[in-house]
Amino acid sequence: MPELPEVETTVRGLASVLDGRRLTRVETRRADLRRAFPPDLRQRMTGARITGLGRRAKYGLVHTDRDDTMIFHLGMSGKWRIDPDELGPHDHLVIETEEGRRLSLADPRRFGSVDLVATAAVDAWPAFAAMGPEPLGPGFTVAALAAALAGRAAPIKAMLLDQRIVAGLGNIYVCEALNMARIAPTRPAGGIARPRIERLVEAIREVLAAAIEAGGSTLRDYARPDGELGYFSHQFRVYGREGEACPCGGTVQRRVDAGRSTFHCARCQR
DNA sequence: CCGACAACCTGACGGC
DNA sequence: TGCCGTCAGGTTGTCG
């Protein structure tokens, strides 16, 4: 269930098994996810040594000593499993290290993707080239967000889901951050005053950092053979909590915008 | 350029 | 128990 914190947690879990290791086997068990697997994926990855892992927005990066970078996206239902007991119909990509560790990318809905890019060209990869700053990086400043929102009439929620504005937020953390910043999801983005933008930047950083922290505590769980992750949904302030109490004492409401649920509190979010 | 919406695909869950 | 409708954390393309 992957937004930025889940991908970050996944990458850290993968790194514990993959970093510095050589791949002895790479198997694609179907031809495609959202799009076809790279035709040379097996050939390029088999025998390669993993030189590092990383993350950009909701994408995971696996660098090799052949100057390739495998870029994966988990879509809505993607999940890496470490040393699964057995493979099921949704284990679409399986890789093995020289130590005999086995990693499987399972994705029932197949909204995910796997691509292979020259490491030097990763930043220029189309999906990345158009992307806004990393919300936890130095480029995500009050000034930068204010500039990106200036003149935009669209509701702030839609703007924050736009990866060109800021990269890595999804529906859950946008709802959470807007609640923390006490900003109504429908508020036109271009009209938000500076102090509110300051609150918003702070809230985005805070909620993501807290979620990564929480995800980090599940790394051991992640490495369990069954690969199940806990998502700490009990920490959500508003997401999935329609009718429950907002921290401010108001009641969490649900509305639908552009076909997606928005959870918010009309009392404190203005 | 902007914004709304459908499409992609499967599984989980609630209601009857 | 079983069937059906609804919904789900994302991205992309189309249409007005």
Side-chain angles (χ1 to χ4, degrees):
Chain A
M1 321 296 190
E3 293 183 35
L4 185 154
E6 289 71 34
V7 179
E8 179 66 30
T9 300
T10 293
V11 166
R12 292 180 188 183
L14 292 177
S16 69
V17 173
L18 283 182
D19 201 8
R21 308 314 204 296
R22 188 176 297 280
L23 301 185
T24 50
R25 209 172 75 85
V26 176
E27 178 192 5
T28 52
R29 304 180 79 234
R30 58 171 295 130
D32 56 56
L33 294 179
R34 163 178 281 287
R35 49 182 173 265
F37 284 117
D40 56 348
L41 181 69
R42 280 188 57 182
Q43 177 249 319
R44 296 292 304 178
M45 296 297 285
T46 303
R49 187 174 296 280
I50 307 305
T51 55
L53 289 91
R55 177 191 59 72
R56 175 78 171 104
K58 302 171 194 170
Y59 292 84
L61 311 175
V62 182
H63 309 295
T64 79
D65 62 354
R66 293 174 179 171
D67 295 325
D68 290 318
T69 294
M70 185 178 79
I71 304 174
F72 68 84
H73 194 291
L74 299 174
M76 296 274 268
S77 59
K79 175 197 303 188
W80 279 96
R81 301 196 295 153
I82 298 179
D83 296 329
D85 288 331
E86 55 185 28
L87 298 178
H90 303 307
D91 291 291
H92 308 307
L93 172 66
V94 179
I95 63 181
E96 284 180 20
T97 70
E98 57 195 343
E99 291 82 10
R101 305 300 298 274
R102 186 165 67 157
L103 298 166
S104 150
L105 176 59
D107 184 1
R109 293 178 73 178
R110 304 205 304 275
F111 286 4
S113 59
V114 175
D115 293 278
L116 196 62
V117 175
T119 299
V122 165
D123 287 345
W125 194 55
F128 293 164
M131 242 175 216
E134 282 290 319
L136 294 176
F140 184 58
T141 61
V142 173
L145 182 59
L149 299 180
R152 302 299 297 268
I156 183 62
K157 189 203 176 195
M159 290 292 93
L160 294 179
L161 286 172
D162 186 337
Q163 304 295 297
R164 294 169 298 187
I165 304 292
V166 53
L169 297 181
N171 203 33
I172 290 178
Y173 295 108
V174 165
C175 290
E176 293 296 304
L178 286 171
N179 178 261
M180 289 176 73
R182 308 193 306 279
I183 297 171
T186 50
R187 181 172 277 273
I192 299 179
R194 194 75 169 208
R196 291 169 158 268
I197 294 184
E198 291 172 6
R199 291 210 303 265
L200 185 54
V201 167
E202 183 60 25
I204 288 169
R205 288 214 188 95
E206 191 175 323
V207 70
L208 293 179
I212 290 171
E213 179 108 359
S217 72
T218 68
L219 282 177
R220 281 187 301 272
D221 291 340
Y222 178 88
R224 275 190 331 211
D226 65 7
E228 284 304 313
L229 266 175
Y231 290 106
F232 288 81
S233 57
H234 64 273
Q235 288 188 14
F236 295 155
R237 300 160 61 101
V238 290
Y239 189 85
R241 297 197 176 284
E242 181 180 15
E244 298 179 34
C246 171
C248 81
T251 302
V252 175
Q253 297 177 297
R254 174 181 179 270
R255 48 176 286 134
V256 176
D257 302 296
R260 310 194 67 188
S261 288
T262 302
F263 296 91
H264 68 106
C265 170
R267 181 173 180 225
C268 64
Q269 292 181 248
R270 300 294 174 147

